[in-house]
Amino acid sequence: MGPGAGRAALISNRKVFNLFGEKVLHALRSSGFDVSVWLMKDGEQHKSMRSLAQAITFFSKSGLERNDAVVALGGGVVGDLAGFAAATYLRGVAFIQVPTTLLAQIDASVGGKTGVNTGAGKNLVGAFHQPRLVLIDTDTLQTLPQRELTAGWCEAIKQGAAGDRKLFDRTVRLLERVGTHASSVQHAGGVRIDVAATIAAHCRFKAAIVAGDEREATDRTDRRSRKILNFGHTTAHALEAVTNYRRFRHGEAVGHGMIVAAEISKGLGMLKPGELELLRSAVRACGPLPPADDVEIDKLIRAMKGDKKSVGGQIRWVLLDAIGSARIVDGREVSTRALRRALRAGLQTP
Ligand code: NAD
Ligand code: GLY
């Protein structure tokens, strides 16, 4: 977005645009932008190369130039797709994130990871492209379905558990106050302010981690590396894959995955049992998760071995020394027996 910016290409989907589109259009137009709109289809399956091609055609037909900007209005699917289209069109134009899900507000909109899924894997093609601005209106959470809130809170617990004990405690305290119901997020007064302030604290946390390791350097294994944000994700990705991406929202799978990682940590003598119980009750406070105790453990282990985050064919576990303090551990240090035990114990309803 240069000094002469005149055009904004807005990407959203029908559901989100019907809720907030007019307001955003009004704001952009009254700031002097000439706005064009493209509504992509809703759903993870549309974070695809096909949608990317459609977005690029939309930019071209709108006459988008190097100085102009792309605006993403929606959840992580819209943000990842619009961000990647912005990263590649004319070798990169500015983009602005206006996230409307809890998960996108605390995580996906911050940090510049953009991309699409392909038949060969999720988020397999992408680019690091930082947004010029992340604009969050937490009132958008009022219309968010319950499961989406639960998924977002699980990712919030993840951020605290992996890297910031105070943030973890603050998030748990907030969850105890608001409960997880959508209606509580819209309470007037203090709770609403607390929700907004906690989301801002999560953005600051994530931005600080990203500032220190923007491109998730493969050789970094310290406790401030960007990899710690993948806490819970090894099991989550496997759970999602073996249930054909139909049973779990991603954050819900992360809820289960964090408990499995904590069970492994306890099994290796790293994490105290009391800390595991604290994490378990924090995940419970996020809301009910779809059951995972019927998923075949052998299938999960096979899926983990195919995870694209592995290095030299080895899984890299993000484990915990304590809540707020993660450690990256080579998969060879976790025996199959220990992994099975942790999966059996961790995949019970928390
Ligand atoms: P999503 O974008 O699919 O949104 C969930 C649903 O909520 C959709 O149906 C959406 O239309 C709807 N919705 C959005 N805002 C709403 C509102 N305010 N009220 C009512 N409905 C609303 O899902 P998500 O959980 O936001 O994002 C998941 C995606 O984010 C995945 O593709 C994941 O890979 C990606 N992600 C990216 C990063 C990153 O760093 N780039 C991090 C985490 C996740
Ligand atoms: N969501 C993990 C990351 O942005 O690195």
Side-chain angles (χ1 to χ4, degrees), residues 10-193:
L10 177 76
I11 299 186
S12 187
N13 65 38
R14 169 92 35 218
K15 193 192 288 176
V16 176
F17 192 79
N18 284 347
L19 289 165
F20 316 113
E22 278 312 317
K23 223 175 183 173
V24 174
L25 282 183
H26 178 74
L28 285 166
R29 284 185 178 135
S30 46
S31 308
F33 282 97
D34 190 355
V35 190
S36 40
V37 178
W38 175 59
L39 302 183
M40 65 179 285
K41 289 191 179 142
D42 193 8
E44 184 69 39
Q45 70 274 30
H46 299 292
K47 201 177 98 176
S48 62
M49 297 292 263
R50 185 155 187 254
S51 301
L52 174 69
Q54 289 170 338
I56 299 293
T57 305
F58 157 63
F59 294 161
S60 169
K61 283 192 175 154
S62 308
L64 203 69
E65 295 178 353
R66 291 289 304 275
N67 251 359
D68 296 330
V70 172
V71 180
L73 172 69
V77 165
V78 167
D80 279 12
L81 182 284
F84 188 39
T88 50
Y89 186 68
L90 302 178
R91 300 194 180 86
V93 294
F95 97 109
I96 295 171
Q97 291 270 25
V98 188
T100 60
T101 64
L102 180 58
L103 182 139
Q105 292 181 359
I106 60 147
D107 183 358
S109 64
V110 178
K113 279 189 184 176
T114 70
V116 297
N117 309 319
T118 79
K122 199 169 175 281
N123 294 331
L124 207 63
V125 180
F128 291 96
H129 188 53
Q130 295 296 343
R132 295 289 171 92
L133 170 73
V134 180
L135 188 68
I136 297 175
D137 181 344
T138 52
D139 280 356
T140 56
L141 302 180
Q142 291 175 22
T143 50
L144 204 61
Q146 180 57 48
R147 282 188 68 184
E148 301 298 341
L149 279 173
T150 296
W153 288 125
C154 283
E155 293 277 8
I157 291 298
K158 174 209 77 178
Q159 297 200 145
D164 186 335
R165 179 61 188 252
K166 282 194 182 140
L167 186 60
F168 176 87
D169 289 341
R170 176 183 189 158
T171 309
V172 171
R173 273 199 309 274
L174 179 69
L175 279 169
E176 282 162 359
R177 260 183 89 198
V178 301
T180 51
H181 292 287
S183 58
S184 356
V185 174
Q186 51 182 301
H187 278 168
V191 168
R192 206 157 151 192
I193 292 167

Side-chain angles (χ1 to χ4, degrees), residues 107 110 113 158 206 216 226 229-230:
D107 183 358
V110 178
K113 279 189 184 176
K158 174 209 77 178
K206 180 152 182 198
E216 202 171 315
R226 189 167 181 167
L229 301 176
N230 298 327

